């Protein structure tokens, strides 16, 4: 089946898309997929990660794949592949069949003039469906490309150019996108089960560019990027769904001469977002390494990445162990288990929630399109000097360790579970959150 994208892009690059990692993981971390190379040829490779030892299965076809071909693992172990052929975006499912590779064609999305930009969205919760984003100069479409009944299906069309893509619930219904309209970018929510109904999600200030990078379903922790605290300079910040506290932009997340990209949030920390560990990819002049940050600690732990780390790929266990896939000549499929320093114990009697700032601003009233919230001055309890030299990732902090998967290292003790749940999205609009 071939479908048609109505809006074609006029060669307008999407500069807001974060560079993809070297390996894509399912939401539960059971499978991974990447485009591997051997002898100058590229082929899909599936990683199985939920067993006692990780292992890879190559899925080559009759001819090599083009560099940049997208692959994504599905929950049943098959691998979705996205190829561009003569202006058509073709989708198929690959699976091992004894010594060979089977392929199930799903259909294609045809783009007028072959100029539309279409990419896969991050793996959806559940892993039974896969989605893609087609970006045009005036509109953006969300496509169901795997898991549907009749091939690719357009689910929603939004005015404006969209980037990003963060799932906000466990059912794969609510998708957050960063939409550019009127010269500014704001995050919106697309309800894929309500005909693509769109509603505002994140608006810190009227003139700011506000993007959602990560969201955790258990704690409600959100990681955002915005230039609200310093126009023209993008900063990483954090907020909480349903909280009346403003969005915070910690100084410790600014590392001189380095780019910092969050890629995973520790799950299972119900109603304790300030204790969630956030994994960061830090790219600097000397290479890439891993950072670990918790909102309550106001500091970043810089850790060595395993040799051959597929940079930007990884996920947390609820117990606080970071699993990082890597590939070397000696170990073509490996997973390193990184145990960062444990969270600092709070002072006895300290109130739960984010630590107060030196000069906290009063929470603003809910923002509306007519009266947007105005950002307050940005402060930090213990601001780090942004001009300081980047941390040396080769100096391993005390209390941290890196172990290969299957080793006898004991993970950190899990936190005590809580029976409470975060405020549902529909009852916690992020328009209430402003910069502090």
């Amino acid at each position: 089946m071939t479908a048609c994208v109505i809006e074609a892009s006029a060669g307008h690059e999407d500069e807001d898309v974060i560079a993809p990692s070297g390996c894509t993981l399912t939401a539960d971390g059971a499978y991974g997929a990447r485009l591997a190379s051997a002898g100058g040829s590229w082929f899909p490779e599936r990683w199985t990660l939920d067993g006692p030892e990780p292992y890879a299965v190559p899925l080559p076809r009759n001819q090599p794949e083009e560099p940049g071909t997208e692959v994504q693992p599905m929950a049943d172990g098959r691998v979705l592949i996205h190829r561009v052929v003569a202006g058509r975006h073709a989708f198929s499912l690959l699976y091992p069949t004894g010594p060979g590779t089977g392929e199930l064609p799903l259909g294609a999305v045809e783009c007028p003039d072959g100029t539309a930009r279409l990419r896969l969205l991050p793996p959806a919760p559940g892993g039974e469906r896969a989605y893609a984003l087609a970006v045009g100069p005036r509109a953006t479409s969300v496509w169901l490309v795997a898991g549907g009944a009749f091939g690719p299906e357009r689910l929603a069309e939004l005015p404006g150019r969209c980037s990003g893509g963060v799932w906000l619930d466990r059912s794969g219904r609510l998708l957050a996108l960063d939409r550019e309209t009127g010269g500014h970018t704001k995050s919106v929510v697309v309800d894929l089960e309500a005909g693509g109904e769109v509603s505002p999600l994140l608006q810190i200030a009227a003139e700011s560019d506000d993007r959602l990078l990560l969201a955790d379903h258990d704690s409600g922790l959100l990681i955002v990027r915005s230039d609200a605290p310093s126009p023209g300079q993008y900063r990483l910040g954090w907020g909480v769904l349903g909280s009346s506290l403003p969005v915070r932009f910690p100084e410790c997340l600014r590392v001189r001469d380095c780019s910092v990209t969050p890629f995973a949030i520790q799950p299972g920390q119900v109603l304790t977002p300030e204790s969630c560990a956030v994994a960061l990819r830090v790219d600097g002049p000397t290479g890439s390494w891993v950072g670990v940050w918790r909102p309550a600690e106001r500091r970043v732990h810089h850790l060595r990445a395993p040799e051959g780390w597929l940079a930007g790929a990884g996920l947390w266990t609820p117990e606080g162990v970071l699993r990082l896939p890597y590939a070397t000549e000696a170990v073509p499929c490996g997973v390193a288990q990184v145990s960062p320093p444990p969270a600092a114990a709070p002072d006895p009697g300290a109130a739960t929630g984010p630590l107060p700032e030196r000069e906290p601003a009063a929470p603003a009233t809910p923002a509306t399109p007519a009266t947007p919230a105005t950002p307050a001055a940005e402060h930090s309890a213990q601001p780090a000097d942004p001009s300081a030299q980047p941390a040396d990732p080769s100096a391993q902090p005390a209390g941290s360790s890196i172990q290969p998967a299957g080793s006898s290292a004991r993970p950190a003790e899990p936190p005590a579970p809580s029976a409470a749940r975060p405020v549902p999205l529909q009852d916690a609009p992020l328009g209430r959150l402003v910069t502090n």
Side-chain angles (χ1 to χ4, degrees), residues 334-408:
V335 177
Q337 303 196 78
V338 180
S339 297
D347 295 333
T352 60
L355 296 177
E357 304 287 350
R358 289 187 303 181
E359 299 178 9
T365 57
T368 65
T371 57
T374 301
E378 188 271 342
H379 299 281
S380 176
Q382 295 179 338
D385 184 1
S387 64
Q389 293 294 331
D392 181 6
S394 63
Q396 196 75 357
S400 64
S401 64
I402 301 180
Q403 298 287 341
S407 68
S408 59

Side-chain angles (χ1 to χ4, degrees), residues 61-77:
R61 294 296 290 158
N62 297 330
Q63 61 183 17
E65 305 293 345
E66 292 292 329
T69 298
E70 290 186 296
V71 293
Q72 187 173 117
M74 306 296 288
D76 59 6

